[in-house]
């Protein structure tokens, strides 16, 4: 199934946004996302954690 996109709307602009995605085998991939007040996040059936700094 292809990824859908959700948008996070933040009250302040972050310095950095990263998406940590967990695969079936436990491997973690990290993707840099745009550090804006509106952050598009790809949503799939895999566990993902958004890191805001």
């Amino acid at each position: 199934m292809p990824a859908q996109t959700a948008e996070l709307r933040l009250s302040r602009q972050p310095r950095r946004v990263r998406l940590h995605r967990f695969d079936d085998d436990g491997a973690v991939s990290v993707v840099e996302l745009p550090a804006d007040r509106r952050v598009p996040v790809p949503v799939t059936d895999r566990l993902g954690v958004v890191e805001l700094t």
Side-chain angles (χ1 to χ4, degrees), residues 12-53:
R12 290 186 243 168
Q13 185 167 345
R15 289 181 298 145
R16 184 180 204 180
V17 181
R18 298 194 303 173
L19 174 62
H20 303 264
R21 178 92 58 210
F22 295 82
D23 294 331
D24 285 340
D25 63 0
V28 180
S29 59
V30 180
V31 177
E32 295 282 335
L33 298 176
D36 294 322
R37 289 185 58 203
R38 290 184 172 193
V39 181
V41 179
V43 178
T44 67
D45 61 349
R46 307 272 190 231
L47 174 64
V49 176
V50 176
E51 176 187 359
L52 302 169
T53 56

